[in-house]
Amino acid sequence: MRPVMRSPLRDQIRQLVLEGLVSGRWAPGDRLVERRIAAELEVSQAPVREALRELEALRLVESSPNRGARVRAFTRADLSEVYQVRAGLEETAARLGAPDLEALERHTALLHEAAAAGSLDDQVRHGVAFHREIVAASGNGLLLSVWESLGIEVWTHVSIRLFRAELHENAADHEPIVEAFRRRDPDVGRLVREHILGYAD
């Protein structure tokens, strides 16, 4: 990991730890030692502790008295729960507002490019960005906040790395959704919901 140079430290540290979880640097059950992480990043332990607490809220880290923080042992049930909640949120978002079609088309094109380049990271990033457009277009700030709190990009990486899940975040899966929004299909919410639940398979 690289030293953290700018504030807010907590956000940067959280992101760096997340990158470590996604890359496999820390596996389920591994300890996350505040003192060691702080020394490596050249920061005090306080922002490291805050970052780990936020990761605990995402259910990615667990802590216990006298034992410190550890990476959670993720299960398929954990992933299924995330996808079920995400599906409900995005179905509601799709019914509340219409996203910018140009933005959806741009992200779909970037998904095509990422797939052609064989970039898993870019496929995940652009796929999540596509869905963020739908949720943001709902105009419901609380809904967006809850959706963001799920840590969808991280859980997508976790499902691929730990369970060898097939990546569904590809351009072909997203094109029918774009077309449904284009024709103002009243059933677009159900389409989005089924699309998300397909990940849990």
Side-chain angles (χ1 to χ4, degrees), residues 58-72:
L58 281 174
R59 299 167 65 222
L60 297 169
V61 169
E62 59 186 2
S63 62
S64 58
N66 304 319
R67 297 187 65 183
R70 291 181 181 273
V71 180
R72 275 193 68 219

Side-chain angles (χ1 to χ4, degrees), residues 167-183:
L167 181 63
H168 291 269
E169 297 273 10
N170 57 56
D173 286 340
H174 292 76
E175 288 168 351
I177 296 175
V178 177
E179 292 308 311
F181 277 116
R182 189 188 311 282
R183 65 176 181 268

Side-chain angles (χ1 to χ4, degrees), residues 49-121:
R49 188 175 303 115
E50 292 174 0
L52 292 179
R53 284 175 181 164
E54 291 187 4
L55 293 175
E56 188 172 2
L58 281 174
R59 299 167 65 222
L60 297 169
V61 169
E62 59 186 2
S63 62
S64 58
N66 304 319
R67 297 187 65 183
R70 291 181 181 273
V71 180
R72 275 193 68 219
F74 308 115
T75 67
R76 292 182 183 276
D78 292 323
L79 292 169
S80 180
E81 289 177 1
V82 170
Y83 288 133
Q84 289 169 5
V85 173
R86 176 184 174 185
L89 292 173
E90 292 197 29
E91 178 181 19
T92 300
R95 290 174 173 171
L96 288 176
D100 183 337
L101 288 175
E102 290 186 4
L104 295 185
E105 290 170 346
R106 181 172 64 254
H107 290 305
T108 302
L110 289 170
L111 276 167
H112 274 296
E113 292 177 12
S119 174
L120 182 64
D121 287 345

